[in-house]
Amino acid sequence: MLEKTYQPAEIEPRINEEWNKADAFRCGRADRKDAAAYSIVIPPPNVTGSLHMGHALNNTLQDVLVRFERMRGKDVLWQPGMDHAGIATQMVVERQLMERQQPSRRELGREEFVRRVWDWKEQSGGMIVNQLKRLGASCDWSRERFTMDEGLSRAVVKVFVELYRKGLIYKDKRLVNWDPKFQTAISDLEVVQVEKKGSFAWVDGDPEKPFDGDALAKVLKKDPSGHMYHFRYPLAEKVAGYDKDYIIVATTRPETMLGDTGVAVHPEDERYEALIKAGAKVRLPLVGREIPIVADTYSDPEKGTGAVKITPAHDFNDFEVGKRHNLEKINVLDAFGKLTDDVPEAYRGLDRFEARKRVVADLAALGLLAKIEPTTHTVPHGDRSNDIIEPWLTDQWYVNAGELAKPAIAAVETGKTQFVPKNWEKTYFEWMRNIQPWCISRQLWWGHQIPAWYGPDGHVFVGPDEADAKAQAAKHYGKDEALTRDEDVLDTWFSSALWPFSTLGWPDETAELKRYYPTSVLVTGFDIIFFWVARMMMMGEHFMKEVPFHDIYIHALVRDEKGQKMSKSKGNVIDPLQLIDKYGADALRFTLAAMAAQGRDIKLAPQRVEGYRNFATKLWNAARFGEMNECVRQFDFDPHAVKHTLNRWIVGETERAANAVTSGLEAYKFNEAAGAIYEFVWGVYCDWYLELIKPILAGDDEEAIVETRACTAWVLDQCLKLLHPFMPFITEELWAHMVEHGERRLTLLCLSEWPRLSGLSSAEADEEIGWVVKLVSDVRSVRTEMNIPAGAKIPLVITGASEATIARARRHDETIRRLARLDGIAFAEAAPKGAALIVIGEATVALPLDGVIDMSAERKRLQKEIEKAEGDRNKAATWLANEANVAKSPEHVVELNRERVAEAGDRIQRLTAALKRIEG
RNA sequence: GGGCACUUAGCUCAGCGGUAGAGCACUACCUUGACAUGGUAGGGGUCAGAGGUUCGAUCCCUCUAGUGCCCA
């Protein structure tokens, strides 16, 4: 016998163990070798990561799909694994070394440090894998991959070498986003823009308020950003037609002025026309360098003074301006963000923010500081380091993303790959069509070291291994030369981009690659379209000549119940594992699936999870009811052959539910599918069917009992199946518990067959049970309104009923009496005096409660009913009175309104009669 | 500044050209033989505002207001 309540914590580990023992999730099962393949690669979580709500949603949806297709008989591969997360992992290990007061990374040296990282990975990395298992993720865990695995690394090298040979990977000196904390380049996507606003204001010219450098230093100590500084740059020579001897420029980063090599004004800005004509120059304060004033449309005449300082080595826009005007690029920062030797001696070696204060103070002392104003501007920060990112001029490796993007764009244009919901393709196109060269080198030690070697003169040789590079070098130099390998590693996303095929064994031509590539669908969040989707599409198209996935399902972000993005700093993070502990993985999964409507974020309230836990309990108890009543599925049970109306009705309802769930899942409408099974299990099976069959089970019609027991068991089986993708644990448990034909099940639920039902619905049964349901509901309603004690049994008299209705009432006599708490059903010509009356169809049902009911309450109730019916009739009648409506509407709509008028009129008539009887 | 969404019951959200739905919360009653993590009944909405298209608009279009996100 089942326990009285469902305890997820007890069954979940056990069920996981059973799946594991049965190898239930392995792809390529022998019995499915002729089946269609269905594959999903997991968006690899990062090896340092732990399960957060976004993962929970992402993996729940994947698991729902995968379990659904597995039950539909497909050969399913859900490929799990993790990426090595270059910066994040290196950071974790470095921090650990520091905390343990062990030698630092540099002291250990590269080889030893990398060994330590592997140690860390073995011991504490990959926590998330076990967390995914707790969620119920039915990945083929035997195939787990890691981006640093031997095979995947081989794929990385092959891709690098091939792209290099095709000229699609190259080395270039450009500005990169430099992270001074980690001393590495990072990609645009790893940069977060943080809005800053300062508080210090000062204007030159007020003798009462001299410049206070200490006060500014204090403000900047808290936050170095948030101010606009206006400097006067003196002209090298006075220019005729220009009335001042200086030009004012503004900047939020004063220290970069030491690297200024130009000042730009708009070519059509009349204020500066004379300066441009004269080819004027300014003398850069503090430095003394003469730099040109150039005309460039980059400067905005509306903004500030319309003149901007140009620092080509430290600003992306300035870099472009500098290129157009051949301006010198002077690097004033080193890898740590300290000032280089290319600045005046006083500033050399200073930290960038120290230099900021000094430069401002020194300019103020020279009378060249015009003003400081607080301003709101965005400042780039490293998403891992949280340090302020500097655009920095370095040699890096780049992928020609623009070229690789072309087929990837075409694949979506032609529909080879489809976004669901479709509107995300706009975001994809927008980004792909404006894609920048992808900087793939990182100045880290943890990752795939770039397969490039340099000769003594710096000539580069790229090859699959050192021997190959040496051979190339020997040929190039005409003799053997010592080579040194490029120290840098590749961006983690470079290896992740290969994930859909590298995990299947590429570059080897494996059977898995053939069978499971392209994958069926990628499930991911919109925030990852650029990271994942775009890069996998590019690499897939290039190396496999085929898209990596047919569909891309983009799901929402999980927010807190107020709609705020969850973040540690806000303290509003909901930990999925805590929810699992409290309510069970099934409840969490169902919640996420039920709320995953396309195109909308999920605002998660824990109460919602509790509600679905209750749903699980409900199912549990329905099963318990079946068990107590010996509802056992029979070998020969055929839902098409059931005779009893109730059973004919429920098998039809089951078919409708199965169709709704199936079509919901096929269309990635997880919420609709979840809603359909929820409503069926609770609202139909539990609320009505199980209640309606109680009198039968308690009765003495043996044939009906046998059929009903078998039918109850069969419907429950269908519920378990339909619910399994959403709630795998409880359904698997109940499946095992609810024996079949008196014996234990032969298959696990997760490997059983998905319901494919048809031809089960019966209009006649639907109508009959619909009538019973309506009668019971209406009687209950009246009882409550008349304040009849819930326990009291009352009589019921049906009048004016047709033969068919009388027969119906007789057939369901027991049921109606029980559910409506009646002590008998009688038939009469006219309703007895002092009765409450209900109009159902052609009949009027009387509850003779003379002396029990409050007649004034009954009068009120009837009047209310009449009013409602009148409202309905008037609405429909008014609609019909409009000739245009009747003339132009489809026939069925006109008919519908005619029926409404007739039906409402009928009701009014009989309700009025009932009212009269009371009054008379 | 460019783009994408959103605004429906107290809250969180579905829906969608033909008389508005769910869950939670709320109210009343019920320890009835699966379930109080439950049952029964009930209250609660000019579907953000203004125009337009249509026989008919919560739904389609335009504008306005507000909110959120992405990219500059």
Side-chain angles (χ1 to χ4, degrees), chain A residues 452-461 466-486:
Chain A
W453 284 262
Y454 300 97
D457 60 350
H459 192 279
V460 64
F461 304 96
E466 189 166 7
D468 182 276
K470 277 204 156 146
Q472 290 182 50
K475 211 168 150 195
H476 176 80
Y477 294 116
K479 58 173 177 159
D480 282 349
E481 283 284 4
L483 299 180
T484 47
R485 184 165 186 178
D486 194 311

Side-chain angles (χ1 to χ4, degrees), chain A residues 48 159 177 218 261 298 511 588 653 685 710 728 819 824 847 857:
Chain A
T48 67
V159 164
N177 296 299
K218 233 177 176 174
T261 54
Y298 164 65
L588 174 63
E653 289 286 342
Y685 185 65
L819 297 193
L847 295 172

Side-chain angles (χ1 to χ4, degrees), chain A residues 254-328:
Chain A
E255 71 284 2
T256 62
M257 65 80 64
L258 299 170
D260 281 1
T261 54
V263 169
V265 296
H266 197 276
E268 276 147 41
D269 193 332
E270 289 168 7
R271 291 171 291 182
Y272 303 114
E273 215 179 336
L275 295 177
I276 294 301
K277 265 199 192 136
K281 292 188 169 183
V282 300
R283 185 170 300 281
L284 190 62
L286 307 179
V287 179
R289 182 164 59 232
E290 276 193 14
I291 58 175
I293 297 171
V294 299
D296 196 287
T297 52
Y298 164 65
S299 64
D300 180 355
E302 309 286 314
K303 250 189 191 163
T305 60
V308 284
K309 60 189 271 309
I310 302 296
T311 325
H314 294 285
D315 182 284
F316 289 98
N317 289 312
D318 292 7
F319 183 81
E320 297 300 321
V321 176
K323 250 197 335 207
R324 288 196 282 272
H325 301 279
N326 267 322
L327 300 178
E328 205 184 337

Side-chain angles (χ1 to χ4, degrees), chain A residues 1-37:
Chain A
M1 177 68 83
L2 286 167
E3 293 295 316
K4 197 171 170 189
T5 52
Y6 150 65
Q7 304 290 347
E10 266 174 42
I11 68 171
E12 285 175 7
R14 196 178 68 239
I15 295 290
N16 248 331
E17 186 50 36
E18 276 176 43
W19 287 332
N20 192 25
K21 266 196 305 209
D23 268 340
F25 309 141
R26 283 230 189 180
C27 67
R29 302 180 67 83
D31 56 337
R32 298 190 182 196
K33 69 179 192 305
D34 298 321

Side-chain angles (χ1 to χ4, degrees), chain A residues 390-419:
Chain A
E390 295 291 340
W392 203 47
L393 201 56
T394 52
D395 284 307
Q396 302 285 347
W397 290 94
Y398 290 89
V399 168
N400 182 346
E403 194 55 36
L404 288 177
K406 286 177 191 165
I409 292 168
V412 175
E413 282 170 342
T414 58
K416 272 202 289 181
T417 292
Q418 299 187 344
F419 277 87

Side-chain angles (χ1 to χ4, degrees), chain A residues 120 209 262 284 311 341 539 569 575 602 643 672 807 901:
Chain A
W120 172 87
K209 272 187 70 185
L284 190 62
T311 325
D341 289 350
M539 292 301 194
S569 55
D575 178 1
I602 295 178
K643 294 198 188 76
E672 287 183 12
V901 170

Side-chain angles (χ1 to χ4, degrees), chain A residues 161-173:
Chain A
V161 172
E162 275 197 40
L163 291 178
Y164 176 78
R165 290 189 178 151
K166 287 185 176 154
L168 292 167
I169 282 182
Y170 54 92
K171 213 167 179 186
D172 199 3
K173 196 182 199 80

